[in-house]
Amino acid sequence: MKTEDMKVIAVSGTPHQRGKQIGASLCDDIHMIVEKRDRAIAARGYAPSDYWAAFEQCCDFVPNIERWTPRLAREVEGLAEGAQLDLNEAYRLQMLDEDWFFDAYHYASIPQSAHKCTTFAVTGGAGAPTFAGQNMDIHHFVDGHQVLVRIANELGSGACLIFTYAGLMGLMGLNNAPLGINCNTLMQLGFNPTGVPVSFIVRHVLSLQTLKEAEDFLRNVPHACGQTYTLSSEDAGLCLECGPSSVVAHRPQSDRRLCHTNHPLSNGDTNQFELRNASAGCAMPLVSHNSKARLTSIQDRISDPQSPVTLDKLMQALRAKDDPKNPVSREQGSALDTNNIGFTAGSVIYEISGQPILYYAAGPPSISEFRRVSFE
């Protein structure tokens, strides 16, 4: 998909009304996502109906969703109504990471598509803005269904911009507090089949006003999946490596330049992962070569605190192919597709100041142009 072809929709009202508006606006795309997702599950060797039956027998996320993010539960109900979906199907659409983790921890498979995404946050100073952003690498089948959702009044506290694809509540985003959130899968930190799923956590954070509120939430909510959440505000950035058993802040020597990919840098709580590897017929590496190569690429380009950071420099960092076999910007239709890691479905950069701005590209930024959108 080209950025100029990506849908931008605006929603408002109660959570149920917002969900219904999203579902109705993207109804055809949502049904195509369901069909393509189940074809992808079949390609992994499972009968989709059996797979989802096993998933729902093992996992019970709704009680903690209702406890920690009840307004988003109402939004899912509205989504189901607007898109003419069964409510269980509307919830399945939210389970991007949870699908990967269930497959890895229940069936002991190696979901290659989970080992990706490259994130950064560069805290400003002396009048300079903070920049944060990422490449979001996920399934090929979402291509053509990416969408930017503008919520006029999230929880009565302000507006937010959400990059996602049809049916999913949110991949990453920025609100006008301003507060931004980005995330990276950390398969190594374990799986809790009763925790709060990633998309609900992302969206709830975007309803908050301060980095401290977001940090408190992330330190207390029960996490379904290992995940790095990188938070960004006007004067600070914070990287939290979150798992079902622990939450650890990653604080590099220069915490004004944060970079992350898909292996833990500070949280060593990998007991569940190691038990999974010991009992499985196929072990996953603690640090994949792909994740390490992408981290080296982004760090080499932006982590030096003595080197000024510009918007163009950050765009080039997200377009990078410093290691051609493990690029930061992952395109479709190449030999790289054979290892099933997926592709860069979207890229965002937040310029966080008194007037926050979001730059977004649909698809790999190496072949897709960024567009600018503000809250005005």
Side-chain angles (χ1 to χ4, degrees):
M1 171 181 271
K2 295 181 179 179
T3 306
E4 58 264 33
D5 297 327
M6 184 171 148
K7 293 178 180 177
V8 179
I9 63 172
V11 299
S12 60
T14 66
H16 186 277
Q17 289 169 338
R18 293 197 309 254
K20 187 174 180 180
Q21 291 163 30
I22 293 169
S25 298
L26 301 173
C27 184
D28 290 344
D29 289 278
I30 289 170
H31 283 269
M32 284 189 277
I33 285 286
V34 170
E35 181 182 343
K36 292 177 179 180
R37 179 208 62 201
D38 283 351
R39 286 207 304 263
I41 289 172
R44 281 152 47 186
Y46 308 120
S49 59
D50 293 343
Y51 180 83
W52 287 117
F55 182 95
E56 285 156 10
Q57 184 176 15
C58 171
C59 303
D60 188 15
F61 300 118
V62 173
N64 268 320
I65 290 171
E66 289 281 5
R67 177 186 175 191
W68 291 89
T69 61
R71 294 172 68 98
L72 296 175
R74 306 290 80 76
E75 188 169 313
V76 175
E77 292 166 2
L79 177 76
E81 183 178 341
Q84 303 173 43
L85 289 173
D86 175 79
L87 182 58
N88 284 341
E89 189 62 77
Y91 269 108
R92 288 172 196 158
L93 283 166
Q94 312 313 316
M95 304 301 162
L96 176 64
D97 285 79
E98 293 68 30
D99 167 26
W100 297 331
F101 278 73
F102 173 72
D103 200 4
Y105 280 88
H106 184 77
Y107 286 116
S109 72
I110 302 181
Q112 293 291 332
S113 54
H115 300 289
K116 54 204 177 325
C117 296
T118 305
T119 296
F120 70 85
V122 179
T123 304
T130 290
F131 287 102
Q134 78 173 100
N135 281 358
M136 177 63 70
D137 297 359
I138 51 178
H139 300 293
H140 295 282
F141 64 73
V142 308
D143 195 29
H145 307 290
Q146 299 97 317
V147 61
L148 187 73
V149 179
R150 181 191 290 269
I151 297 182
N153 200 14
E154 175 75 331
L155 298 185
S157 59
C160 62
L161 296 165
I162 302 160
F163 189 106
T164 189
Y165 61 85
L168 183 73
M169 285 193 301
L171 288 167
M172 48 197 174
L174 172 70
N175 70 22
N176 66 346
L179 178 68
I181 184 167
N182 299 97
C183 51
N184 304 65
T185 298
L186 292 180
M187 188 69 68
Q188 305 87 337
L189 296 187
F191 179 49
N192 173 10
T194 64
V196 178
V198 174
S199 63
F200 291 86
I201 289 174
V202 168
R203 280 292 309 282
H204 183 80
V205 166
L206 289 172
S207 74
L208 304 177
Q209 291 293 288
T210 68
L211 190 144
K212 182 63 168 62
E213 289 176 333
E215 179 182 4
D216 288 346
F217 173 73
L218 290 172
R219 287 190 178 278
N220 287 285
V221 68
H223 293 273
C225 302
Q227 198 84 190
T228 296
Y229 294 99
T230 300
L231 306 172
S232 47
S233 65
E234 282 190 82
D235 56 3
L238 178 64
C239 182
L240 294 175
E241 296 182 347
C242 303
S245 301
S246 62
V247 175
V248 176
H250 170 57
R251 301 187 186 278
Q253 189 171 6
S254 174
D255 61 4
R256 301 183 74 84
R257 304 283 178 103
L258 300 171
C259 300
H260 216 292
T261 51
N262 299 101
H263 57 279
L265 300 176
S266 297
N267 190 336
D269 190 0
T270 60
N271 290 340
Q272 187 185 9
F273 180 80
E274 291 165 8
L275 287 171
R276 178 255 175 228
N277 274 352
S279 62
C282 49
M284 291 186 288
L286 185 63
V287 182
S288 73
H289 181 68
N290 176 269
S291 181
K292 187 175 180 180
R294 287 182 288 108
L295 182 64
T296 298
S297 175
I298 194 81
Q299 286 179 331
D300 286 350
R301 286 171 173 268
I302 70 171
S303 64
D304 182 359
Q306 304 305 314
S307 177
V309 167
T310 64
L311 178 62
D312 181 68
K313 186 173 184 178
L314 294 171
M315 288 180 176
Q316 294 306 317
L318 292 178
R319 290 171 174 145
K321 300 179 183 179
D322 297 325
D323 181 337
K325 293 184 178 179
N326 299 286
V328 170
S329 180
R330 192 171 196 88
E331 299 172 13
Q332 297 200 71
S334 71
L336 298 175
D337 290 349
T338 57
N339 64 10
N340 197 34
I341 288 183
F343 85 119
T344 302
S347 183
V348 296
I349 297 174
Y350 316 142
E351 185 176 342
I352 304 177
S353 61
Q355 299 294 327
I357 299 167
L358 184 146
Y359 301 88
Y360 69 97
S366 51
I367 56 173
S368 188
E369 294 300 317
F370 282 92
R371 280 198 167 184
R372 177 186 186 277
V373 61
S374 69
F375 290 91
E376 297 176 353

